[in-house]
Amino acid sequence: MSSAAGFQFNNSRGIVMLVIGLALFGVQDVLVKMLSGEIAVMEVVFFRSPIALIIAWWIVKREGGLPMLRTRNIKLITLRGLIGLSCYTSYYMALAMLPLADVIVIAFSAPLFVAALAAPILGERLDLLRSLAVLVGFVGVIIAMNPTGMTDPAVLLAVYAALSYAVQSILTRQLGNTESGGSLAFWHLLIFWLGSCLAGLMFGSGWLLSPDSHPSVAFLLRAWTIPTLAQAQWLLIIGLIAGCGFYLLSQAYRIGQASSVAPFEFSAIIWGVLWGFVFWNQLPPAHMWVGMSLILASGFYLLAYEKKLSKAAKLAARKYQQPTVT
């Protein structure tokens, strides 16, 4: 299938690139979780961002070079970057305490937040069927959080990560008409790096950390140290994964149709369960499987429904553009 400009979509290749990219990000999650007891999360961002920035700059050069970085939306781009930084930070703070699969399952409620927030923020219509799908998904999130059990407060960090990612996605929609993918990634990573520098200056000495701090809080407030050789190697790998993973995901949506590629975003949950079992011998408990099933069912329904609406809109546009025979 091709676009009007003659571009040939390659959905199968796009899906493969997406799945590999998400697998790489799953490995990054494993490495960050392993370092969460040794290095502050903002220090991880500090070392990770410049490596990923180099790859993002390479993408920008392919898209047109320095002129692609010019923008009239610097305030919105900055807001998107700061929200993204808070999303990244809260996600990995949750990982410091919770099993990998649990955090990923809750974080993948982000499409539900996008659907819920798109109506008041973007003016998109949320009809009865989509409203019911969102409601079912949120029931799944509540079940996954296990409110009747001894839930660790870190689960709220995972929920915030999903919410902030949804807001970031909505801002990306607003910026997508004027900014290139490489430009958005470059500014995003630059704000990440500048934010980590500011965080290091504010509490990098560890003066806010107390001996009885929760592991998630300790991951944020731990004093910055000079990485050992082994830690430096892991940080280098994390940066390379971030850059390569972003490239694979951006390419996946560039060469494949979003309606065909997007459903495979949920493969991240499979990777989360797999890596959690391989590295920590952890499998999600029963309530997490139930919640996961509801979140997945809701997410797939929303994707299918959006695909149906998109096809209907394209058919209506073609019909409208056809000349009327008189």
Side-chain angles (χ1 to χ4, degrees), residues 137-148:
F138 281 131
V139 169
V141 174
I142 293 172
I143 294 173
M145 290 172 61
N146 192 26
T148 59

Side-chain angles (χ1 to χ4, degrees), residues 5 17 30 53 97 106 116 123 125 180 194-195 199 215 218 232 239 255 293 304 308:
M17 295 182 81
V30 170
L53 266 171
M97 185 64 193
I106 295 174
R125 191 170 67 92
S180 69
L194 293 175
I255 68 175
S293 300
K308 180 180 177 181

Side-chain angles (χ1 to χ4, degrees), residues 22-103:
L22 292 172
L24 285 176
F25 278 121
V27 174
Q28 177 187 246
D29 292 347
V30 170
L31 296 178
V32 174
K33 184 174 176 64
M34 290 170 61
L35 291 172
S36 64
E38 305 172 13
I39 299 178
V41 63
M42 284 298 178
E43 190 173 2
V44 174
V45 176
F46 178 81
F47 285 104
R48 164 190 180 267
S49 298
I51 302 168
L53 266 171
I54 294 172
I55 298 176
W57 171 244
W58 175 70
I59 296 172
V60 169
K61 287 186 67 176
R62 293 188 64 186
E63 291 181 343
L66 193 60
M68 301 301 296
L69 295 180
R70 294 174 185 164
T71 177
R72 301 179 196 173
N73 299 298
I74 192 63
K75 291 183 179 178
L76 202 59
I77 283 177
T78 302
L79 177 62
R80 175 178 177 270
L82 292 175
I83 291 174
L85 180 59
S86 72
C87 171
Y88 180 95
T89 304
S90 59
Y91 178 84
Y92 283 111
M93 286 174 66
L95 265 186
M97 185 64 193
L98 301 176
L100 179 60
D102 292 20
V103 177

Side-chain angles (χ1 to χ4, degrees), residues 259 304-318:
S259 58
Y305 195 79
E306 293 296 333
K307 186 175 182 179
K308 180 180 177 181
L309 291 179
S310 178
K311 283 185 177 180
K314 287 179 181 178
L315 287 173
R318 289 176 186 172

Side-chain angles (χ1 to χ4, degrees), residues 12-273:
S12 58
R13 186 179 177 189
I15 289 168
V16 170
M17 295 182 81
L18 179 81
V19 172
I20 294 174
L22 292 172
L24 285 176
F25 278 121
V27 174
Q28 177 187 246
D29 292 347
V30 170
L31 296 178
V32 174
K33 184 174 176 64
M34 290 170 61
L35 291 172
S36 64
E38 305 172 13
I39 299 178
V41 63
M42 284 298 178
E43 190 173 2
V44 174
V45 176
F46 178 81
F47 285 104
R48 164 190 180 267
S49 298
I51 302 168
L53 266 171
I54 294 172
I55 298 176
W57 171 244
W58 175 70
I59 296 172
V60 169
K61 287 186 67 176
R62 293 188 64 186
E63 291 181 343
L66 193 60
M68 301 301 296
L69 295 180
R70 294 174 185 164
T71 177
R72 301 179 196 173
N73 299 298
I74 192 63
K75 291 183 179 178
L76 202 59
I77 283 177
T78 302
L79 177 62
R80 175 178 177 270
L82 292 175
I83 291 174
L85 180 59
S86 72
C87 171
Y88 180 95
T89 304
S90 59
Y91 178 84
Y92 283 111
M93 286 174 66
L95 265 186
M97 185 64 193
L98 301 176
L100 179 60
D102 292 20
V103 177
I104 291 178
V105 167
I106 295 174
F108 260 80
S109 62
L112 307 177
F113 285 108
V114 171
L117 294 174
I121 296 178
L122 297 178
E124 295 182 2
R125 191 170 67 92
L126 188 63
D127 55 29
L128 179 61
L129 289 176
R130 280 192 288 179
S131 298
L132 289 174
V134 170
L135 180 61
V136 169
F138 281 131
V139 169
V141 174
I142 293 172
I143 294 173
M145 290 172 61
N146 192 26
T148 59
M150 299 296 292
T151 301
D152 192 280
V155 75
L156 298 177
L157 290 168
V159 174
Y160 174 77
L163 174 60
S164 54
Y165 185 84
V167 175
Q168 175 188 305
S169 298
I170 289 174
L171 293 177
T172 302
R173 284 191 191 180
Q174 293 179 308
L175 290 165
N177 293 328
T178 59
E179 312 295 328
S180 69
S183 173
L184 285 174
F186 184 87
W187 286 111
H188 203 62
L189 291 166
L190 181 61
I191 292 168
F192 269 42
W193 186 73
L194 293 175
S196 68
C197 291
L198 181 60
L201 292 173
M202 291 175 60
F203 43 80
S205 64
W207 66 279
L208 287 174
L209 183 66
S210 62
D212 58 345
S213 292
H214 186 279
S216 296
V217 176
F219 193 22
L220 176 66
L221 301 179
R222 181 177 293 112
W224 288 31
T225 58
I226 298 175
T228 64
L229 180 59
Q231 291 170 343
Q233 290 173 341
W234 292 127
L235 290 170
L236 174 63
I237 293 172
I238 288 171
L240 290 173
I241 286 175
C244 293
F246 164 76
Y247 175 74
L248 287 169
L249 266 60
S250 62
Q251 281 292 94
Y253 282 102
R254 190 185 72 82
I255 68 175
Q257 294 167 295
S259 58
S260 298
V261 174
F264 290 85
E265 289 269 4
F266 290 102
S267 65
I269 295 179
I270 298 174
W271 291 117
V273 173

